[in-house]
Amino acid sequence: DKLAAEFADELDNLGVRVAALEKKADNVKITGTIKASYSSYDGDKLNVDGKKAPTNHQGRLRSDLWVKGDINDDWTYSAMFRNQQFFTNDKGNAGEENVAFQRAYVNGRVGGLAVQAGRYNKTDITGGNIHDHRMDGVQVSYGKDVKLTAGYGKATDANAVADNDVAYAELNGKLGAVDAYAAYYKFDNVAKTADDDKIWTVGMGFDLAKDLKLSGSYIKSDYDKAGVDDDGYVATLAYKGAKAAKAGSWGLSATYYDQGMGTVIAHTMDGVYFDEGFKGYSVGANYTLAKNIVAGVTYYDLETKEAGKDTDAQTLWSQVVFSF
C-alpha cells in the first residue's frame, strides 16, 4: 500500500497511456476474403465480362483485403485492395500480377444524415439487377424503419457506363410483414444505348413461411427502341441461406429474369447475359463447409430478348469463399 501510494501518479499516468495504446491498436482492422471460382459456359454467346471469351470456361482466384478504421467517434474509413488470378489464362483479362486499389471511402454523420463519400460499390435497391459496380460519389441517408437515400457521382469501369454521371434516389421501409421499396436512377451517356438511361423500380418481399421468402421487382426505363423492351421484372424465391459463422448452414434460391435492354447497366449475376435484354432463370445452393468457408453453385439459363434473334447462354458457376 505504501508503494502504491508513493507511485500513485506514475501508475495512473501509465494506465492512461496503456489505455490510449490499446484504443489505437483497435483503431485499424484488417479483414478479407479469398474467392476461388470456376465457370463453364455454353450456348450461342460465349462472353465473359463484356469480352469475347477464347474458351468456354474460366477459373479465377480473387483476393480482397479490407482495411477499416476509426477517424473519430462519428466517422470511419474503409479501403479495399484486390488481386485476381485467371487459371485459364484468358488474355481478355489483363493485370493478373497487379493489386488494384478498388475502394476508398468514409462513413459518418452530419446532423441526422448518414453520409458515405469516396469510391464505393453501389448496388441498386433490387440487389444488383440494375447496377452493381464501383462509383466515385457521395450518398446521404435519413431514417431507420423508413429510409430515404440519395446519391450522385461518376460510374467507374462498368461495361456499359464509365466516368459518366450517375444520380439516384431510393426509398425503402417495412410495412407490417412486407419489405417495400421504390427507387429512381439516372445514368448519363450509357455506351450500349448511346444515350442517357432513366430507370424506375418498385418492389417488395415477404415471408411465405418460416425461412421461405418471396421477393420481386418491377423495373421501367425510358429507353425507347423498336423491337426492344423498355421494362422488366425479377422474382426470387429463397429458402434459408448459408451463414459463414455457422458450419452446416445452407440455403437454396431460384430467380426468374425478364429484363429489357434499358433496365440493365451492370448486372450483379455471375452468369452470361445479353446487353440487349434477356429472360430466363437461375437456381442455386450454398453450404457452409466450416466456419468462414462457404461453397456455392448456381446454374443460369438465359436467352436474348432482341427481336429476330435466337440466342441463348447457359452458365454453371461455382465458388468457395474463405473469409478472415
Side-chain angles (χ1 to χ4, degrees):
D1 293 340
K2 184 178 180 180
L3 286 174
E6 185 176 349
F7 294 101
D9 291 339
E10 287 79 359
L11 289 171
D12 185 57
N13 290 334
L14 178 61
V16 170
R17 290 196 296 271
V18 170
L21 287 172
E22 289 177 342
K23 185 175 181 180
K24 289 182 178 179
D26 292 335
N27 188 52
V28 177
K29 295 181 179 179
I30 298 176
T31 60
T33 59
I34 298 174
K35 301 179 179 181
S37 63
Y38 179 80
S39 299
S40 176
Y41 310 100
D42 195 8
D44 301 317
K45 180 180 179 181
L46 297 181
N47 182 297
V48 182
D49 296 335
K51 302 171 184 177
K52 190 68 176 179
T55 66
N56 64 348
H57 63 284
Q58 183 189 82
R60 181 180 68 175
L61 182 69
R62 190 176 82 182
S63 302
D64 293 343
L65 187 67
W66 284 91
V67 180
K68 299 182 180 182
D70 296 329
I71 297 172
N72 55 39
D73 291 339
D74 296 320
W75 287 81
T76 62
Y77 68 87
S78 301
M80 190 263 275
F81 302 85
R82 173 173 292 170
N83 172 260
Q84 297 191 95
Q85 300 290 328
F86 294 91
F87 306 138
T88 45
N89 294 321
D90 181 359
K91 294 182 180 180
N93 297 278
E96 293 184 9
E97 305 83 7
N98 298 334
V99 176
F101 193 45
Q102 292 273 309
R103 300 173 199 169
Y105 56 89
V106 295
N107 289 91
R109 301 197 69 84
V110 177
L113 297 176
V115 180
Q116 180 169 268
R119 173 165 289 190
Y120 56 91
N121 196 77
K122 178 54 190 173
T123 303
D124 72 80
I125 204 166
T126 72
N129 293 300
I130 300 169
H131 181 272
D132 183 10
H133 217 280
R134 294 182 302 278
M135 66 174 286
D136 296 331
V138 58
Q139 73 171 26
V140 295
S141 300
Y142 180 79
K144 184 179 179 182
D145 295 331
V146 176
K147 185 166 71 173
L148 175 64
T149 299
Y152 176 80
K154 290 186 178 294
T156 60
D157 303 329
N159 294 336
V161 57
D163 297 324
N164 297 326
D165 291 347
V166 179
Y168 56 91
E170 301 171 332
L171 178 66
N172 66 290
K174 193 170 184 63
L175 306 174
V178 177
D179 298 314
Y181 58 80
Y184 169 78
Y185 304 90
K186 182 178 182 294
F187 298 88
D188 288 350
N189 195 25
V190 177
K192 66 180 180 179
T193 64
D195 203 350
D196 297 348
D197 197 355
K198 303 178 184 68
I199 302 172
W200 292 88
T201 183
V202 292
M204 65 176 61
F206 56 92
D207 294 329
L208 294 176
K210 183 181 179 181
D211 299 322
L212 182 64
K213 185 169 185 176
L214 177 65
S215 58
S217 305
Y218 174 75
I219 308 169
K220 170 75 172 178
S221 81
D222 70 341
Y223 182 63
D224 185 16
K225 178 183 176 183
V228 176
D229 286 348
D230 62 357
D231 65 352
Y233 63 91
V234 180
T236 298
L237 185 65
Y239 181 68
K240 292 187 175 180
K243 298 177 176 60
K246 186 178 180 181
S249 60
W250 58 277
L252 301 171
S253 65
T255 300
Y256 183 80
Y257 311 90
D258 190 330
Q259 294 190 245
M261 181 174 182
T263 69
V264 181
I265 301 298
H267 209 287
T268 191
M269 75 165 62
D270 297 291
V272 172
Y273 64 90
F274 302 89
D275 287 337
E276 63 269 20
F278 58 89
K279 61 182 178 180
Y281 68 91
S282 68
V283 290
N286 51 37
Y287 181 81
T288 304
L289 302 172
K291 185 177 180 179
N292 296 330
I293 304 176
V294 180
V297 60
T298 306
Y299 175 75
Y300 300 87
D301 190 348
L302 304 173
E303 61 183 50
T304 183
K305 291 192 69 176
E306 186 167 348
K309 287 192 175 182
D310 183 18
T311 308
D312 67 305
Q314 296 81 41
T315 305
L316 180 61
W317 174 87
S318 58
Q319 178 174 264
V320 179
V321 180
F322 303 85
S323 56
F324 58 90

